[in-house]
Amino acid sequence: NMALLSFLLLFSLCSVSLTEAHMLLDTEAEEHTLHPHPPCCPACPQGPCTACRTPGTGVCCPCLPPFPPEPPCTAPDTCSNISTPRGYGVGLGMLGHLMVFAGGAKGNEGLDAIDVYNTTSNTWSHTKMSANRTLFDGAALGYYAIFGCGEADGSGTADILDVRTMKITTVTLKGGARKKCAATSIELARDEVTGIPSKGKILIGGGYKSVAVDIWDLESQTWSVTNMSISHFYMAAASAGPYALFCGGLAPSGDTSICDVYDARDGSWNVSNLAAPCREISGTSVQSATNYNLTQAVFLGAGHTSVFNADTQPPTWTYANSSTRSPWAKMARATVGRRYAVFGGGNGNQNSIEIYDGILKQWSFAIHNLSFGREQVMGAGTSDMVAFAGGSIGAYKPTGYTSRVDIFNISGLLNKTQRRDS
């Protein structure tokens, strides 16, 4: 009888253990699904581990040594912080003194945050988009910034931010839900007194399996939709004069050099090409020596520079191989003082900053770098300043993301002695 009692007690304990084990495995599966960079397991209190547990075993992975704190800022860089660590967001410069940093991701969690830095008052303002957004894009025109598409909740909508009131208006995109789109704005007229654009368009185009381009008209505050030639995503967009360019990316046939070029004067489309097929490059717009308007679209990445010049008719391209120091992809981009196209960071935790002077048509590396290297940084420029916010950093896991904002005056970055031709 004692032997039978002992057997039944052991069987009961084993049954409970098996049940708990199945519950543990279910929890682990959910945990690994929700957290690409899981928190430390109890066995690693001094620093991060590679994962909470090895899936299916309930065993903690080997511990990693504690990571050092983020490096301090060094002059002439000054530092601040956005509201939450993140990468894959969108940065925009507005009205010559505002820097807007919107959305992004922390792990596989899309975010709705909008942080606005006023360089005149040295203050931050904050609001939220209507939905979490990552793998999206945005553009600014006048008092408005528009953020649309994305992989998170807001893939079929666009949020219109009025920076005068910090209020958000949400609309449904006529071109449908999509992710990995690109956006740019076209200035068609400016107020003679304030210099603020009074006519123009913001375009949100393409994306994964999409040829749709949603167009917002500044003057009428209305939307329309058109189509580009092919679907491409992970592309870059920039404007030059009356043209909006959607360039590069991943097409159904693979990496592409195609630029879909929209002419705002008559709504027509043409096809042109970058220097080489490439994805996840960056683009922005600058003026030229003969025109205060933004008449050059500047693209950098994949070892090449491509500059589209709308001062000539028909427009022309200038191509060149980029320096080996140039990041391959995932760079921040910004326009400073309408004259300088500034690119920073990049894949592989790059820290370099590269500058194109639209008037001199020359490239140079900045005298100073980011305070530490990272990719998928948000860039924004004003009349005389540039900032690089957030980003993903392999060296600072388990979070993998930073809230650091590097802020430079453009005069402190310009390298007047070491230039390379465009």
Side-chain angles (χ1 to χ4, degrees):
N1 289 339
M2 290 296 295
L4 179 59
L5 182 61
S6 298
F7 173 79
L8 291 174
L9 179 61
L10 178 62
F11 179 81
S12 175
L13 290 172
C14 288
S15 298
V16 172
S17 298
L18 287 171
T19 301
E20 290 177 342
H22 281 295
M23 291 175 63
L24 176 63
L25 291 177
D26 289 342
T27 301
E28 288 171 2
E30 180 182 2
E31 194 169 52
H32 279 274
T33 299
L34 295 177
H35 304 289
H37 301 299
C40 294
C41 54
C44 299
Q46 80 282 8
C49 54
T50 54
C52 279
R53 298 176 182 88
T54 303
T57 67
V59 178
C60 285
C61 294
C63 298
L64 298 175
F67 288 115
E70 294 178 355
C73 284
T74 56
D77 186 6
T78 59
C79 287
S80 187
N81 294 92
I82 48 177
S83 59
T84 182
R86 62 191 191 267
Y88 300 89
V90 172
L92 301 171
M94 298 183 65
L95 302 175
H97 68 283
L98 298 180
M99 297 173 171
V100 182
F101 305 104
K106 183 179 180 182
N108 61 354
E109 174 191 4
L111 299 171
D112 59 4
I114 297 179
D115 303 306
V116 180
Y117 179 63
N118 187 319
T119 60
T120 302
S121 61
N122 194 30
T123 57
W124 287 92
S125 301
H126 309 279
T127 187
K128 292 184 178 182
M129 293 182 286
S130 65
N132 298 326
R133 294 187 194 275
T134 183
L135 298 177
F136 71 111
D137 206 357
L141 188 64
Y143 297 105
Y144 302 96
I146 300 183
F147 307 98
C149 88
E151 189 172 53
D153 305 334
S155 62
T157 64
D159 287 319
I160 306 172
L161 168 67
D162 185 335
V163 294
R164 294 169 295 186
T165 61
M166 294 294 287
K167 296 292 180 62
I168 292 285
T169 302
T170 304
V171 299
T172 299
L173 292 173
K174 293 178 177 292
R178 54 201 188 271
K179 59 185 178 181
K180 304 172 185 175
C181 61
T184 189
S185 61
I186 301 174
E187 295 180 1
L188 295 176
R190 300 174 67 85
D191 186 278
E192 293 182 358
V193 177
T194 64
I196 296 172
S198 56
K199 294 183 180 180
K201 300 178 185 296
I202 288 179
L203 297 89
I204 302 172
Y208 182 65
K209 295 184 178 180
S210 176
V211 297
V213 181
D214 288 89
I215 303 175
W216 180 77
D217 184 83
L218 172 62
E219 188 176 25
S220 65
Q221 306 270 300
T222 57
W223 289 86
S224 59
V225 66
T226 182
N227 292 327
M228 59 178 64
S229 67
I230 61 168
S231 66
H232 38 150
F233 58 99
Y234 287 138
M235 60 183 158
S239 65
Y243 303 102
L245 293 85
F246 296 86
C247 295
L250 188 59
S253 59
D255 288 352
T256 182
S257 64
I258 284 179
C259 285
D260 282 299
V261 183
Y262 172 81
D263 188 335
R265 295 170 297 185
D266 58 10
S268 62
W269 287 91
N270 288 288
V271 174
S272 190
N273 294 91
L274 295 172
C278 49
R279 73 180 83 169
E280 294 188 295
I281 64 167
S282 299
T284 191
S285 307
V286 294
Q287 70 180 90
S288 68
T290 60
N291 200 324
Y292 179 76
N293 294 328
L294 300 173
T295 54
Q296 295 180 85
V298 185
F299 300 93
L300 174 64
H304 299 276
T305 64
S306 301
V307 179
F308 178 90
N309 185 359
D311 277 330
T312 63
Q313 291 300 323
T316 57
W317 284 95
T318 302
Y319 305 118
N321 292 330
S322 180
S323 166
T324 55
R325 281 183 60 194
S326 296
W328 183 83
K330 301 179 181 178
M331 296 164 288
R333 83 289 181 269
T335 298
V336 180
R338 303 179 69 86
R339 173 174 179 171
Y340 302 103
V342 186
F343 303 86
N347 67 315
N349 292 337
Q350 298 283 338
N351 68 352
S352 60
I353 300 172
E354 193 158 0
I355 302 171
Y356 175 76
D357 185 328
I359 292 179
L360 298 180
K361 294 183 170 55
Q362 290 178 317
W363 288 90
S364 65
F365 287 104
I367 298 173
H368 302 279
N369 295 329
L370 302 182
S371 56
F372 58 92
R374 52 210 195 261
E375 63 186 49
Q376 292 294 0
V377 188
M378 297 175 281
T382 64
S383 60
D384 59 356
M385 303 180 76
V386 63
F388 302 94
S392 58
I393 337 97
Y396 292 93
K397 293 177 180 178
T399 63
Y401 299 90
T402 181
S403 62
R404 170 71 59 85
V405 184
D406 291 302
I407 305 172
F408 299 91
N409 191 293
I410 191 66
S411 62
L413 293 179
L414 294 176
N415 186 339
K416 298 182 183 302
T417 60
Q418 297 180 356
R419 294 192 178 276
R420 61 181 180 81
D421 293 333
S422 54

